Each structure stands twice: as C-alpha cells, then as structure tokens.
Amino acid sequence: MAKKSFPLSKVYSLLEPGPVVLITTAGTERANIMTQSWHTMIEFEPPLVGCVISNRNHSFDILKATGECVINIPTVELAEKVVSCGNTSGLDIDKFHDFDLTPVAASCVKVPLIDECYANLECKVVDAKMVDEYNLFILEVLKAWIDPAMKHPRTMHHLGKGAFMVAGETIQLPSKMK
Amino acid sequence: MAKKSFPLSKVYSLLEPGPVVLITTAGTERANIMTQSWHTMIEFEPPLVGCVISNRNHSFDILKATGECVINIPTVELAEKVVSCGNTSGLDIDKFHDFDLTPVAASCVKVPLIDECYANLECKVVDAKMVDEYNLFILEVLKAWIDPAMKHPRTMHHLGKGAFMVAGETIQLPSKMK
C-alpha cells in the first residue's frame, strides 16, 4: 500500500473516533501483533496516546523491554485477521506469517508497520509510571503514515465479544472544536 | 427516556467503540456539560475509565473540586446539541437550559444525568495523580443506566473540526475476546 507521511498535528483525528487497532512490537525472536481498543489521545502535539496493554499479553513484556511499538489502524476488509490476532498469542505463533500480513520497515522505530493497514503510527514509550498500577503506557507518536487514497476508512469499533460497529456516514457540523 | 440499570461488567461495551460523550458536572452555581472524546477503558470491573479533561475547560475545575461526574452517551439525533455544548463554556451559560436538555437526578452522585442520552455512567474520581501532568482523571463507574429500547445506537465519533463519523452496521465475528 503506497503511503505518505501524515502531519503529527492531525494524528488525533485518526484515534479520536475509537478504532480497533493492531499494535506491533518487535521481540527478540520475532515481531508480534496485538488487537487493541483501550487507547485515548492525551495531547495534540507532539501527539501523546495512552494505551492500556494487559500484563497477560505477550506484547506487554516486549513493549516494557523495548519501549517501542507501532499503532496500525485496520479497516473492515481486515476483520478476520483482526479477530485472529486477538484470539492468539505471539508466544505460540508468528502472526505476520500465519495471518499473511506484510511487515514494512518503520523509519523511527525498530518495529515493523503492517502494510495492509491504512494508517500507521510509530511510537515510543515516554512515560511508564502508570504501567504497574494500570497497565497504562504513555506513548509519543514520532512519525505517522497514511494511505492518501483512503478517503472514508471503514474502521472497526469493538462492541464486545467479537461484535464490531463499522464506521458509517460522515456528517459535518459548525464546530469550534479542534 | 425510560432507562434500566445496566451491568457494570458490560460498561466497556459502551465506551470501547469510542463515542463522543457529554460529561456532566455539578458546580456550586449550576450543573455543566462538556463534549468530550478523549477517554479509554482501563479496567473491566469495577469499570475504570481514563478521561482527559483540559485544564482550560470549566469542567476541569468542577471535577477537581467535587470528584464526581456523569458520562452521558448521545446518539446522532442530538448532534447539534453535542456541538453546541462543545462550542460554549459553562462559565457563560447554563447549557441544560440554553440547549433544552433535561437534568435527571443520579443515584450515586450529586450530578445530573442528561435524560436525552441513551446511556449514563455515574462516576467518581478514584485517582487524580496524573491530573497535573496529563489532565488525566481515573474514574470509577459506580452505576450505569441504559435505554433498553435502543438496540443499535447511532453514536457519534469525532474526526476533528466538527466532522463526525456516525456508527454504521454491526458485524459479528467468532472471537474469544471479552
């Protein structure tokens, strides 16, 4: 997928609507992928993102050790792979290989982007002091990529137990909000 | 709107998809309403929610002083009022009155619910130690209410600058995820 660099000042517009994301990390043996929905913007620029990653997940250990990850945003075309990544552990399998996802080198971190996702946010951990209590990592987005051809991405939004709301129509209102 | 109590164990399914919410607080003079999108689930049960409320907002001061709020979840039928609440300050106006929203007494907090919203989460601040650095409040949901007639709520999801994605179709996949 041909991507272009995306302004850091607009990263909030990708995460604010609450999409399911695929978080990639790079362990010593292989890269891993985790399906995740518990994230929020914390600051506009530089973009800070709060991400809750349970210490029961393999990605928790890798992220704690390496301090780097990529937040990849999938659309509904990838729904089966998104769920497969959520149903399995990187301790047991190579998710890139088994689910036929394409790793692409990032520019600022030693973690692969997922090529099939329409947007990718390269991140480093900038604050880990809420990790022990809440599994909450504060990430700074260092570099963002987007597929410029994707005008209305049909993102997935988890409703629980494998049910997902798919992004519908877009409306525009006269807002002073950023 | 006739609401019923909603299990705390299922609160994540309301917030995980990333809807715009209306946060109510009760100041000394009057109740206030703030439009907000920067929230994430942190724990399933009791439900913990991380909410970023800028210290430039009137609601920040009230929440810091009282330690209580209600997260109200609107649907697209309320779009104009949602944006109006975001474009104004409770320092200047009474938003319940000016935007014709109906306050209803909560059961666990001294903050009104917004009757027109299809779901309401009564919350108290349980951890404020990230407030100074990140404007991040950790809230515990004490009581949840939902309109049982609303089967497919058309929630709003902010894309920036007054553009909103409206919840579309729901799909179901075979998932082991909660």
Side-chain angles (χ1 to χ4, degrees), chain A:
Chain A
M1 193 181 283
K3 304 237 175 77
K4 69 172 185 182
S5 182
F6 188 70
L8 292 181
S9 60
K10 292 187 179 174
V11 161
Y12 77 96
S13 65
L14 302 175
L15 291 183
E16 216 172 287
V20 170
V21 298
L22 296 172
I23 296 182
T24 45
T25 46
T28 47
E29 286 189 38
R30 60 193 175 212
N32 194 26
I33 308 174
M34 174 188 170
T35 302
Q36 204 260 15
S37 288
W38 289 14
H39 54 77
T40 178
M41 288 301 299
I42 287 184
E43 188 51 83
F44 284 108
E45 196 173 7
L48 296 184
V49 182
C51 266
V52 178
I53 295 181
S54 166
N55 55 20
R56 294 184 302 275
N57 284 292
H58 183 43
S59 297
F60 176 92
D61 297 320
I62 307 177
L63 184 57
K64 206 168 172 187
T66 65
E68 293 186 342
C69 67
V70 176
I71 300 174
N72 305 272
I73 310 181
T75 48
V76 69
E77 292 77 11
L78 294 177
E80 288 189 16
K81 297 182 184 199
V82 167
V83 171
S84 296
C85 285
N87 282 345
T88 53
S89 170
L91 283 172
D92 306 321
I93 61 167
D94 178 339
K95 299 193 194 182
F96 272 103
H97 176 270
D98 287 19
F99 303 131
D100 198 20
L101 292 164
T102 311
V104 173
S107 68
C108 299
V109 294
K110 294 190 187 77
V111 177
L113 317 176
I114 300 176
D115 189 43
E116 288 80 1
C117 289
Y118 89 98
N120 316 88
L121 311 176
E122 302 183 20
C123 300
K124 69 172 179 185
V125 177
V126 290
D127 190 335
K129 65 177 173 285
M130 279 86 83
V131 170
D132 286 348
E133 193 167 359
Y134 296 113
N135 293 329
L136 176 63
F137 294 85
I138 307 292
L139 307 174
E140 179 181 334
V141 181
L142 305 174
K143 180 78 186 169
W145 302 96
I146 201 161
D147 173 8
M150 185 72 81
K151 297 300 180 197
H152 296 286
R154 299 185 67 216
T155 48
M156 299 168 60
H157 301 254
H158 195 222
L159 301 169
K161 299 183 179 174
F164 295 87
M165 175 273 279
V166 181
E169 65 174 321
T170 298
I171 59 174
Q172 177 70 52
L173 286 102
S175 171
K176 292 187 223 163
M177 292 183 277
K178 190 168 181 180

Side-chain angles (χ1 to χ4, degrees), chain A residues 13 16-17 38 40 87 127 129 133-134 154 158-159 161-162 164 166 168-169 171-173 176 178, chain B residues 13 16 38 40 87 127 129 133-134 154 157-159 161-162 164 166 168-169 171-173 176 178:
Chain A
S13 65
E16 216 172 287
W38 289 14
T40 178
N87 282 345
D127 190 335
K129 65 177 173 285
E133 193 167 359
Y134 296 113
R154 299 185 67 216
H158 195 222
L159 301 169
K161 299 183 179 174
F164 295 87
V166 181
E169 65 174 321
I171 59 174
Q172 177 70 52
L173 286 102
K176 292 187 223 163
K178 190 168 181 180
Chain B
S13 65
E16 214 172 289
W38 289 15
T40 178
N87 283 344
D127 190 335
K129 64 176 175 284
E133 193 167 358
Y134 295 113
R154 297 186 68 216
H157 301 254
H158 195 223
L159 302 168
K161 298 181 178 174
F164 295 88
V166 181
E169 62 172 325
I171 59 174
Q172 177 70 52
L173 285 102
K176 291 187 224 164
K178 190 167 180 180

Side-chain angles (χ1 to χ4, degrees), chain B:
Chain B
M1 192 180 284
K3 302 237 175 76
K4 69 172 185 182
S5 181
F6 187 70
L8 292 182
S9 60
K10 291 186 180 176
V11 161
Y12 77 96
S13 65
L14 302 175
L15 291 182
E16 214 172 289
V20 170
V21 298
L22 296 172
I23 296 181
T24 46
T25 46
T28 47
E29 287 190 37
R30 60 191 175 213
N32 194 27
I33 308 174
M34 173 189 171
T35 303
Q36 204 260 15
S37 289
W38 289 15
H39 54 76
T40 178
M41 289 300 300
I42 288 185
E43 188 51 83
F44 284 108
E45 195 173 9
L48 297 184
V49 182
C51 266
V52 179
I53 295 180
S54 167
N55 54 20
R56 296 183 301 275
N57 285 292
H58 183 43
S59 297
F60 176 93
D61 297 321
I62 307 177
L63 184 57
K64 206 168 172 186
T66 65
E68 293 186 342
C69 67
V70 176
I71 301 174
N72 305 272
I73 310 181
T75 48
V76 70
E77 292 77 11
L78 295 176
E80 288 188 17
K81 298 183 183 198
V82 167
V83 171
S84 295
C85 285
N87 283 344
T88 53
S89 171
L91 283 172
D92 308 321
I93 62 168
D94 179 338
K95 299 194 195 184
F96 273 102
H97 175 270
D98 287 19
F99 304 130
D100 198 21
L101 291 164
T102 311
V104 173
S107 68
C108 299
V109 295
K110 295 190 187 76
V111 177
L113 317 177
I114 300 176
D115 188 42
E116 288 81 0
C117 290
Y118 88 98
N120 316 89
L121 311 176
E122 303 183 20
C123 300
K124 70 171 178 185
V125 177
V126 290
D127 190 335
K129 64 176 175 284
M130 278 87 79
V131 170
D132 286 346
E133 193 167 358
Y134 295 113
N135 293 327
L136 176 64
F137 295 85
I138 307 292
L139 307 174
E140 179 180 334
V141 181
L142 305 173
K143 181 79 185 168
W145 300 97
I146 201 162
D147 173 8
M150 184 73 80
K151 296 300 180 197
H152 295 285
R154 297 186 68 216
T155 48
M156 299 169 59
H157 301 254
H158 195 223
L159 302 168
K161 298 181 178 174
F164 295 88
M165 175 274 280
V166 181
E169 62 172 325
T170 298
I171 59 174
Q172 177 70 52
L173 285 102
S175 172
K176 291 187 224 164
M177 294 182 276
K178 190 167 180 180

